[in-house]
Amino acid sequence: MKVRHGRLPRTCNLSALALLPLFFLAGATRTEAQTKAYVADTNANLVTVIDTATGTVAGTIPVGTGPVRAAVTRDGTRAYVTNGGSNSISVIDTSSDLVIDVIPVGPTPSALAVTPDGKWLYVMTAAGVVEVVDTALSTVAATISVGSSGDIAISPDGARAYVAAGLVYVIDTAANVVLHSFAAEATPIAGVTNTAWSVAFSPDGTRAYVGVVTFDMTAGVFSAGGGLLLVDTASETVAGTINLFSLPGAIALTPDGSRAYVGIQYIWLDTGYGAGFFNGRYVAVIDTITKSIAAIIDLGADGPSFTQQNSPDGIGVTPDRSAVYTAIPRIGKVAVANVNTNAVTSLIPLTAPPGDLAIVADRAVALVPYVINAVNDSAATSTAGGTAVASVLANDQLGSIHITTAHVTLTQQSSTSGGVTLDPATGAVNVAAGTEVGIHALVYRTCEIAAPSNCADATVSVTVRLPFVIDAVNDSASTLPGRTAVANVLANDTVDGTPAAARVTLSAVSSTSEGITLDVRYGSVFVAVGTAPGPHTLTYMICESASPSNCDAADVTITVIPFPIDAVNDAGAALRTGGTAVANVLANDTFANATATLATVRLSQIASTHDGVSLNVANGAVTVAAGTPVGTHTLRYAICEIATPSNCGEAVVTVAVQHLPITAANDSARASSKTASTALASVLTNDRLDNAAATTANVGLSLVSLTPASNKISLDVSNGSVKVLAKASSGTYTLVYQICEIAMPTNCAQATVTLDLSGSGGGGGR
């Protein structure tokens, strides 16, 4: 079975990509044997006929202009060819290899598929219209629009037509309507565009294979690739994908559906000098059982240039499953590859570059068996017993691809010792404990599940010896958390007196701390951050690989050293009205020789000499509440490692709670000694309390002294004025006054007023 897709343009620009034609080749079977392949030669307006039995050209058939795609009916009596340049379908009688009819269709037919009964031909035109042709009447009986040009495949039961045209469209062939469509992807990913490019059905109809071109912008840089979408035809949903890492072309399946062949036409490469589409030269061999790429067919090249690569076009598999035919337009030849070697065995030269090709199927012909290559194995183990060979299939092949128990059955044919046996479910060869020393031979048989008579035998040679002395030696180390304590516990371990590293398996037995773990890949012992300081023990075991029951255990003693943590004393001050005494106690604290932060340590207040002095554990600030008594207070705090709460340090913060700043400023004034007057309106005018004006509302005022003494000069403590009574003695007086905070009477300040009464003028100066 086979399907074709369109070739990407040589220029490889993205705008042209959406316009490329897609191709299809329907499989065909008939009761009598046929050995023909029909190859469309677009430039020569010919169809070349190849005798697949001899691998030679049997003749050419003139057809319309620009033939591009071909399909053969299931009974093998007719071949249909799309003529893209003359908008028609050429009908070829395969018995005479003559064109017996020409069917007019829509503009630029680019893909076609024929129903299993041969009555209907589905033709895709460039306008994105599927035309349904009645082959008996050679007329278009219905049209179905899907919006863009694509590829077509008909299910083996004829009930569905799948169109790959960006989306996958499912057509009901009975009503000739689109039932639904779905995206060519298993899961949508932002920035990734998947375009359905080609489509083919498995011979049993349970699976459809859709070639997908992928454009990826997720990394901010354009790249392209592709894969094969696996569609479950029962639910008509995506069942999985196979990544091809390149842009897929034609798809062909073996008659039994065991393998799919996908042409790799283009690969997206970034060479460092530029990125773009480069010609491919391979056919990917898909194992449909394991749903994976199992091998490649290399079509070769004529030089190192990407333009000299032999890119594949049409692909088909012979009815007997012996060979894969691949058209190579660049060299004008068809490559023939052996299915059992996946190697090109011959190149058939044509008169013009080949494009699509269709091979006439033959249901009656016997399939060429896949060659089973069962390869002998050898292994050694000891009388302690164990698994000598993990799987005898590890080096066996079926038709040059790796096989598993999904492909073949295994049976033990013989063994020279009852202690040496084969597990047919896994392919493992096991040796029982106590098996006698010596060389034993086990013969096994592998048979293809799909063809049970296709079998091959091989021998496993097992050397059984006495167990080696295995010695796991204790280790010890000291380390900080977050470090590797021991690079490799195997470094001092031995097997039979030689280094154990490559000859044992390693496993962890126990650990006294969850934070101390063994990496069995490298033998390293790691101490996680947060592991409690102190001694810990990890126990591990080494077992001889060739004799897994031959084991020894050892201990690794790890002393975990805590990270250095240092809480440093602080000092600060705040007014009794409240405020922040220390912005962050962590500013001078350290953890692991770096500044301690709330990301690495947790703060806690241990004690304070007054409730008004407290620590904000969320930011490290020490604050003083309003009303806290003036004086010296202390606060004790702790910093503890978040990952290891037992790793702590303590410090003390000394906080001085201070009075409000109070300032009494000196004054001076002049007044007459002869008449009564107010020499100074208020001594408080330039006095301050807490950086604000001092007033009789917030300070108390008192007279300290007056020099020389006089009962004619007074300080009015109710308003701060200095007054001169009549007939005072002339001269200079010094008045000392005091202001005290009303709320804190001990918070006082003094100042001097110098009063000059030596003149006769009025007062009021400062």
Side-chain angles (χ1 to χ4, degrees):
M1 220 165 180
K2 168 203 174 250
V3 66
R4 277 287 304 131
H5 97 308
R7 291 181 59 84
L8 291 175
R10 297 289 182 183
T11 56
C12 300
N13 65 75
L14 297 180
S15 61
L17 185 61
L19 303 177
L20 299 178
L22 305 174
F23 324 146
F24 171 81
L25 169 66
T29 58
R30 56 177 300 170
T31 55
E32 65 271 22
Q34 290 209 18
T35 56
K36 291 181 180 180
Y38 291 86
V39 184
D41 299 330
T42 305
N43 295 337
N45 301 329
L46 295 173
V47 169
T48 298
V49 183
I50 295 177
D51 183 344
T52 59
T54 61
T56 59
V57 174
T60 59
I61 306 169
V63 290
T65 305
V68 287
R69 309 293 171 257
V72 180
T73 55
R74 176 177 287 185
D75 65 6
T77 60
R78 296 288 184 268
Y80 296 95
V81 179
T82 61
N83 301 312
S86 54
N87 303 332
S88 63
I89 306 294
S90 292
V91 183
I92 298 172
D93 180 350
T94 58
S95 61
S96 64
D97 286 336
L98 296 175
V99 174
I100 59 173
D101 196 4
V102 176
I103 304 171
V105 292
T108 319
S110 58
L112 77 165
V114 62
T115 56
D117 59 9
K119 294 180 179 180
W120 304 98
L121 191 65
Y122 284 71
V123 181
M124 172 62 73
T125 67
V129 174
V130 177
E131 296 187 347
V132 184
V133 176
D134 184 333
T135 58
L137 301 177
S138 297
T139 58
V140 175
T143 60
I144 310 163
S145 177
V146 295
S148 61
S149 184
D151 190 21
I152 313 174
I154 305 292
S155 62
D157 63 3
R160 295 287 186 269
Y162 276 29
V163 177
L167 300 176
V168 179
Y169 298 88
V170 179
I171 295 174
D172 180 353
T173 57
N176 284 325
V177 295
V178 175
L179 294 176
H180 65 97
S181 63
F182 54 88
E185 57 196 14
T187 304
I189 300 174
V192 176
T193 301
N194 293 299
T195 301
W197 194 240
S198 53
V199 58
F201 281 95
S202 62
D204 63 5
T206 60
R207 186 79 70 199
Y209 296 87
V210 179
V212 178
V213 174
T214 300
F215 298 142
D216 190 345
M217 285 292 292
T218 55
V221 179
F222 175 82
S223 64
L228 209 57
L229 202 69
L230 309 180
V231 179
D232 177 1
T233 56
S235 62
E236 296 179 344
T237 58
V238 176
T241 58
I242 301 172
N243 195 348
L244 300 176
F245 309 99
S246 51
L247 278 65
I251 306 171
L253 280 91
T254 55
D256 62 339
S258 59
R259 296 183 188 178
Y261 297 88
V262 184
I264 304 301
Q265 283 193 329
Y266 292 94
I267 301 172
W268 177 266
L269 291 177
D270 188 343
T271 64
Y273 298 98
F277 294 101
F278 295 92
N279 290 340
R281 55 182 281 183
Y282 304 104
V283 174
V285 182
I286 306 298
D287 180 356
T288 61
I289 294 176
T290 60
K291 303 177 183 63
S292 62
I293 300 175
I296 61 169
I297 298 173
D298 189 350
L299 301 177
D302 289 342
S305 169
F306 286 105
T307 61
Q308 296 172 295
Q309 310 298 304
N310 292 339
S311 297
D313 204 317
I315 301 178
V317 181
T318 56
D320 64 358
R321 199 181 65 178
S322 64
V324 179
Y325 277 60
T326 305
I328 306 176
R330 194 186 72 81
I331 59 175
K333 296 177 181 179
V334 172
V336 182
N338 186 296
V339 172
N340 272 307
T341 63
N342 295 316
V344 174
T345 57
S346 64
L347 294 169
I348 304 172
L350 307 183
T351 57
D356 190 27
L357 64 81
I359 297 178
V360 177
D362 185 353
R363 181 177 294 176
V365 70
L367 298 180
V368 171
Y370 288 129
V371 173
I372 297 181
N373 185 18
V375 181
N376 294 338
D377 298 280
S378 62
T381 188
S382 76
T383 55
T387 299
V389 177
S391 176
V392 295
L393 295 178
N395 55 350
D396 295 351
Q397 291 187 325
L398 178 68
S400 290
I401 69 171
H402 174 67
I403 54 175
T404 68
T405 52
H407 302 86
V408 296
T409 58
L410 286 169
T411 54
Q412 177 178 315
Q413 298 299 297
S414 64
S415 178
T416 57
S417 171
V420 180
T421 57
L422 173 73
D423 183 345
T426 64
V429 174
N430 299 311
V431 176
T435 299
E436 61 273 23
V437 172
I439 299 175
H440 305 281
L442 179 146
V443 178
Y444 72 91
R445 176 167 294 169
T446 177
C447 297
E448 186 181 358
I449 293 174
S453 62
N454 185 23
C455 302
D457 293 351
T459 300
V460 183
S461 177
V462 180
T463 300
V464 179
R465 51 168 172 75
L466 293 174
F468 289 135
V469 174
I470 188 166
D471 187 15
V473 181
N474 294 339
D475 298 278
S476 63
S478 298
T479 185
L480 292 166
R483 308 285 198 278
T484 296
V486 179
N488 189 352
V489 295
L490 298 178
N492 55 349
D493 296 347
T494 58
V495 174
D496 198 31
T498 61
R503 306 171 63 185
V504 297
T505 59
L506 180 63
S507 62
V509 176
S510 63
S511 177
T512 57
S513 172
E514 292 181 355
I516 297 179
T517 55
L518 173 69
D519 188 330
V520 296
R521 298 170 299 172
Y522 309 109
S524 58
V525 177
F526 184 76
V527 178
V529 172
T531 303
H536 301 274
T537 301
L538 179 144
T539 302
Y540 70 92
M541 181 174 289
I542 57 173
C543 297
E544 185 186 350
S545 299
S547 185
S549 62
N550 183 24
C551 302
D552 191 29
D555 291 335
V556 183
T557 302
I558 306 294
T559 300
V560 179
I561 303 169
F563 285 115
I565 190 166
D566 187 15
V568 180
N569 293 340
D570 298 278
L575 297 175
R576 65 172 183 77
T577 52
T580 299
V582 177
N584 187 355
V585 295
L586 296 179
N588 57 346
D589 295 348
T590 59
F591 172 73
N593 299 317
T595 301
T597 68
L598 290 170
T600 55
V601 300
R602 182 173 288 111
L603 275 169
S604 63
Q605 179 178 315
I606 299 174
S608 177
T609 57
H610 193 277
D611 290 344
V613 179
S614 60
L615 174 68
N616 186 335
V617 296
N619 59 21
V622 175
T623 58
V624 175
T628 301
V630 171
T632 300
H633 303 275
T634 57
L635 178 146
R636 188 156 56 94
Y637 72 93
I639 57 173
C640 298
E641 182 185 352
I642 292 175
T644 308
S646 61
N647 184 23
C648 300
E650 294 183 8
V652 174
V653 183
T654 302
V655 177
V657 179
Q658 301 170 337
H659 289 292
L660 296 181
I662 188 167
T663 305
N666 294 336
D667 299 285
S668 62
R670 294 182 65 193
S672 171
S673 63
K674 305 302 184 183
T675 60
S677 64
T678 298
L680 190 63
S682 178
V683 296
L684 297 178
T685 302
N686 55 351
D687 295 348
R688 310 288 289 175
L689 175 65
D690 194 20
N691 297 318
T695 69
T696 55
N698 53 32
V699 298
L701 185 63
S702 62
L703 176 65
V704 176
S705 64
L706 175 64
T707 307
S710 173
N711 59 2
K712 301 298 182 180
I713 299 171
S714 66
L715 171 67
D716 188 340
V717 296
S718 67
N719 59 20
S721 63
V722 177
K723 297 179 180 179
V724 179
L725 304 178
K727 297 180 180 181
S729 298
S730 177
T732 300
Y733 293 84
T734 301
L735 184 150
V736 178
Y737 71 93
Q738 179 173 278
I739 57 173
C740 294
E741 182 186 354
I742 294 173
M744 184 65 66
T746 59
N747 185 21
C748 301
Q750 293 183 359
T752 299
V753 179
T754 302
L755 182 61
D756 183 0
L757 300 182
S758 61
S760 59
R766 288 208 58 88

